[in-house]
Amino acid sequence: MGGPNGKSGLRLWRNARLATMADGAAGVGIVDKGAIAARDGLIVYAGPEADMPASAGQGAETVDCQGRWITPGLIDCHTHLVYAGNRANEFEMRLAGATYEEVARAGGGIVSSVRSLRAASEDELVAQTLPRLDALMAEGVTTVEIKSGYGLDADNEKKSLRAARRLANERPVTIRTTCLAAHALPPEGKGDKDAFIDLVAGTILPEVAAEKLADAVDGFCEGIAFSPEQMARVFDKAKALGLPVKLHADQLSNLHGAALAARYGALSADHLEYTDEAGAAAMAKAGTVAGILPGAYYFIRETKKPPVDLFRRHGVKMAVATDSNPGTSPLTSLLLTMNMAATLFGMTVDECLAGVTREAARALGLLGQTGTLEAGKSADLAIWDIERPAELVYRMGFNPLHARIWRGQ
Ligand code: DI6
Ligand code: FE
């Protein structure tokens, strides 16, 4: 035995049941009497304990999992986790009969979160976001994507992205940041969306890229936000800056956002309630992942469901994420999100589990590093007190996490 975490950095989890989620494995890739060995935070072996090469476990600090299940650490690939304040007041207005649009006209909506975020310091943003991040991590989440989009000017967009990056110093978790400057027109935009897109492409994105604050660029393509032509200008700039793109597409109407995202080789197109067959076919061809977000559908009581069957038929990969945000999805449970994806959209248990592991990693361009239990990947693990993987999707509001491992620790 080495010392804590082994002098050699070797760790071994044995006597476990694995859901490896490996691409191409049947179902969730079950290994009944499994073991995982890691060296310096990377998996060196994941598979049947009986087949493990002796060298993989020699001298390792060993954990007997007593038959517990191990899945890859969960990945929330679409969140707006960094914001200030909340919008519980708007929730009450909507309960009293107001629509999302009426609330926005009364000075609420995204713009109210913009006011709050601009008034908050970077330290305050970090402090206000940590409890939400902790809630996700308490359920075995090891990677979180976080978007800006409540700053809507260069300084405040950069402040949000810096706050998001700082969370990775505060907690053992992988953070990926996305610049969503093209989220809404800020109050000072005075109705001129094209001029704001000039600002996004001409100033905000170049400054964000120069300071390496974002791993990707996102936008909100919708009647109440930006047109496909405006989004294309944002994407052209992102490509020129070497940043991958993704899109909030077809959430409230079909502007053919899915096809637009596919044309730009987007990592993912998300929401997709109104996506048509041509959109699904284009996404399949481009390898663009569908981001399924049942939290927003539930919270704003949408009735149009994303065409999960079309995605299956065309072979579009599906990720599942919380879309955690103060306006349409104040949700910080990826386990409950899986339950919603199954109950509301008819996704299978295997699809839900893949959606918060392998496919979420793919949606972030991180499939080479995490998202499955395979040699060469980061030892990001969730160890569960369950009898079968379906329990992770079946429960509502119960957390069976036993332990969470990030990069072998
Ligand atoms: N789609 C959404 O549902 C959220 N953003 C987006 O692009 C709404 C965010 C909010 O209301 O604060
Ligand atoms: Fe979103």
Side-chain angles (χ1 to χ4, degrees), residues 78-80 147 180 183 218 248 251 270-271 293 296 323-325 328:
H78 180 141
T79 85
H80 311 244
K147 304 173 196 300
L180 175 60
H183 190 196
D218 198 343
H248 285 70
Q251 180 186 6
D270 299 359
H271 286 290
L293 309 176
D323 192 19
S324 190
N325 78 69
T328 62

Side-chain angles (χ1 to χ4, degrees), residues 86-328:
N86 67 66
R87 308 221 306 261
N89 60 324
E90 296 181 13
F91 177 59
E92 287 192 281
M93 286 166 70
R94 287 198 299 110
L95 288 175
T99 65
Y100 190 66
E101 285 75 16
E102 285 164 353
V103 167
R105 274 199 294 278
I110 292 175
V111 166
S112 99
S113 290
V114 171
R115 275 193 303 271
S116 309
L117 182 131
R118 287 179 175 180
S121 69
E122 192 180 306
D123 287 345
E124 284 165 351
L125 285 178
V126 171
Q128 289 196 35
T129 305
L130 279 172
R132 296 188 279 270
L133 179 60
D134 286 339
L136 291 174
M137 289 172 61
E139 291 185 344
V141 169
T142 50
T143 300
V144 182
E145 185 259 13
I146 301 178
K147 304 173 196 300
S148 62
Y150 295 120
L152 305 186
D153 62 30
D155 286 347
N156 285 295
E157 285 292 299
K158 288 192 290 182
K159 179 174 74 182
S160 320
L161 294 166
R162 270 192 222 106
R165 286 258 201 257
R166 272 178 53 190
L167 296 167
N169 305 328
E170 302 286 328
R171 295 291 186 272
V173 65
T174 300
I175 301 288
R176 299 293 279 187
T177 59
T178 301
C179 182
L180 175 60
H183 190 196
L185 188 66
E188 68 275 14
K190 295 199 180 1
D192 192 343
K193 290 184 181 178
D194 278 314
F196 181 67
I197 293 296
D198 288 342
L199 178 74
V200 171
T203 305
I204 300 180
L205 291 184
E207 287 192 22
V208 162
E211 294 184 39
K212 297 198 188 323
L213 288 171
D215 303 305
V217 169
D218 198 343
F220 189 18
C221 185
E222 193 59 66
I224 58 167
F226 300 102
S227 70
E229 294 69 30
Q230 288 162 338
M231 279 319 310
R233 287 169 55 209
V234 172
F235 283 179
D236 284 333
K237 177 52 90 172
K239 291 269 139 167
L241 294 167
L243 288 167
V245 301
K246 53 182 84 175
L247 189 64
H248 285 70
D250 308 336
Q251 180 186 6
L252 308 168
S253 62
N254 184 9
L255 294 185
H256 307 287
L260 171 73
R263 198 152 65 242
Y264 281 84
L267 288 169
S268 73
D270 299 359
H271 286 290
L272 305 173
E273 278 79 349
Y274 286 81
T275 296
D276 58 20
E277 178 144 22
M283 287 175 67
K285 195 152 172 253
T288 296
V289 176
I292 304 293
L293 309 176
Y297 170 91
Y298 167 88
F299 194 72
I300 60 174
R301 289 189 274 182
E302 270 279 338
T303 50
K304 181 117 170 90
K305 303 179 188 214
V308 162
D309 247 338
L310 267 186
F311 296 142
R312 286 189 188 118
R313 268 196 278 127
H314 285 272
V316 177
K317 311 284 190 184
M318 292 184 279
V320 172
T322 61
D323 192 19
S324 190
N325 78 69
T328 62

